[in-house]
Amino acid sequence: MKKNIIFYFSGTGNSLVVAREIATALGNTDLVSIPDSFGVDLFNYERIGFVYPIYFGGVPLIVKNFIESLDIPPSYLFAVATCGGSALNGLKEINALICAKGHSLNFGTILSMGGNYILLYGKSEKAEASNAQTTKELPDIASAIRDKSQRPCGKPNPIMTLFTNRFRKGVHKATRTYIVSDNCTSCGLCAKICPVHNIEMKDNKPIFGGKCEQCMACLQFCPQRAINGTKTAKRKRYHHPNITAQDLIRK
Ligand SMILES: Cc1cc2nc3c(=O)[nH]c(=O)nc-3n(C[C@H](O)[C@H](O)[C@H](O)COP(=O)(O)O)c2cc1C
Ligand code: SF4
Ligand code: SF4
């Protein structure tokens, strides 16, 4: 029996929890993080899935680059996008990327979960309710994927794509606004959790490089709330309650 594979990208655990649940329900499924998977050989998989957060109404830059780099064989292709409530092009963009490879997404769905973009807002009071709703929906989504159901995703809105492209163009510059306060205890967690290895500890302080994907893991998980953007200091932190920092750290 051929295996399945799910690629995920996740800063604060929503997409990881979803990817993990679907992988467990399917069985016989490799679960791998996108930053670790460039150059992967896909020719022995029956179902290939992508689980990721929606950024500025579209696909995160690293997810876009990853799909563009893949050699995709004929297989059942699915995507699950997580978001804070405004999905916009988030699923349609991945469909377009896959269509550009001569395939189309067989099944796609969007899940509203806790919003994590602390540069704009703190943890919402609705986060728990959204996550509980997702937990209810996941068994049916996994069954649909197991049965190779078809759910087409449509084409992206080109105006929206311009908006997302603008974000993607500047995404690596975000860390210019990040400040590390004296509350930092030099624990090194931020450097370990950054999914793209964009943080290095130098002289016991985190130093940011130029590869930030704006996943928010470092701001949300710092135990001292020592990493901040210009307006985040008083904002309530968020990460998925069933996902720990250890779950997200690249092995
Ligand atoms: C840079 C950035 C942009 C975001 N843009 C959107 C958006 O356009 N629409 C939306 O509903 N949520 C948006 N969000 C929220 C995330 O999509 C949502 O919280 C997601 O489930 C986080 O997944 P993760 O925990 O796996 O990282 C954004 C988050 C970030 C960090
Ligand atoms: S996680 Fe926070 S306390 Fe730990 S090194 Fe990073 S900034 Fe400092
Ligand atoms: S520097 Fe922080 S926000 Fe940027 S990718 Fe790394 S963990 Fe995510």
Side-chain angles (χ1 to χ4, degrees):
M1 200 170 97
K2 273 173 132 185
K3 281 173 120 183
N4 312 302
I5 190 163
I6 299 180
F7 297 103
Y8 70 89
F9 182 67
S10 185
T12 55
N14 291 350
S15 309
L16 176 55
V17 96
V18 167
R20 209 157 71 170
E21 291 291 318
I22 296 173
T24 305
L26 288 179
N28 203 24
T29 300
D30 291 337
L31 179 60
V32 283
S33 95
I34 286 178
D36 291 330
S37 302
F38 281 80
V40 70
D41 178 357
L42 285 179
F43 278 78
N44 272 320
Y45 292 102
E46 183 169 352
R47 295 174 189 77
I48 300 173
F50 306 94
V51 185
Y52 56 92
I54 290 173
Y55 287 176
F56 280 75
V59 173
L61 181 64
I62 191 165
V63 177
K64 181 171 182 283
N65 290 343
F66 179 65
I67 307 268
E68 284 172 346
S69 76
L70 286 178
D71 193 359
I72 304 178
S75 43
Y76 177 80
L77 299 170
F78 67 94
V80 182
T82 72
C83 72
S86 314
L88 305 163
N89 271 347
L91 203 54
K92 293 173 178 171
E93 271 203 342
I94 203 159
N95 188 35
L97 289 165
I98 287 171
C99 286
K101 303 242 148 207
H103 303 281
S104 65
L105 203 56
N106 296 98
F107 178 93
T109 195
I110 291 158
L111 292 168
S112 261
M113 301 182 74
N116 70 346
Y117 197 27
I118 193 165
L119 298 185
L120 281 186
Y121 51 78
K123 181 185 168 187
S124 155
E125 284 173 10
K126 295 181 192 149
E128 269 89 17
S130 312
N131 291 344
Q133 180 58 27
T134 291
T135 306
K136 275 194 203 155
E137 290 172 25
L138 274 172
D140 285 346
I141 292 170
S143 295
I145 294 167
R146 190 186 308 108
D147 298 344
K148 298 192 177 171
S149 304
Q150 303 291 321
R151 191 187 287 178
C153 302
K155 289 185 182 160
N157 172 331
I159 308 285
M160 196 60 230
T161 302
L162 291 178
F163 170 71
T164 313
N165 277 343
R166 203 162 143 217
F167 163 74
R168 282 189 291 241
K169 203 170 165 209
V171 65
H172 294 325
K173 296 179 189 152
T175 51
R176 288 182 191 170
T177 64
Y178 296 0
I179 304 151
V180 180
S181 76
D182 290 344
N183 292 342
C184 171
T185 55
S186 313
C187 71
L189 178 66
C190 51
K192 287 191 203 137
I193 206 171
C194 175
V196 292
H197 294 322
N198 190 45
I199 304 177
E200 238 186 282
M201 294 302 288
K202 274 195 189 148
D203 300 326
N204 292 321
K205 288 279 173 277
I207 305 290
F208 299 94
K211 299 185 289 187
C212 179
E213 286 285 331
Q214 293 197 37
C215 77
M216 302 296 114
C218 57
L219 285 92
Q220 299 282 17
F221 277 94
C222 170
Q224 308 303 327
R225 301 166 56 111
I227 306 178
N228 279 290
T230 43
K231 294 182 180 165
T232 64
K234 292 193 175 146
R235 287 183 183 152
K236 215 170 167 188
R237 266 47 180 173
Y238 171 82
H239 65 79
H240 194 283
N242 297 353
I243 295 293
T244 65
Q246 285 305 319
D247 292 325
L248 286 161
I249 289 171
R250 283 169 76 177
K251 306 295 180 280

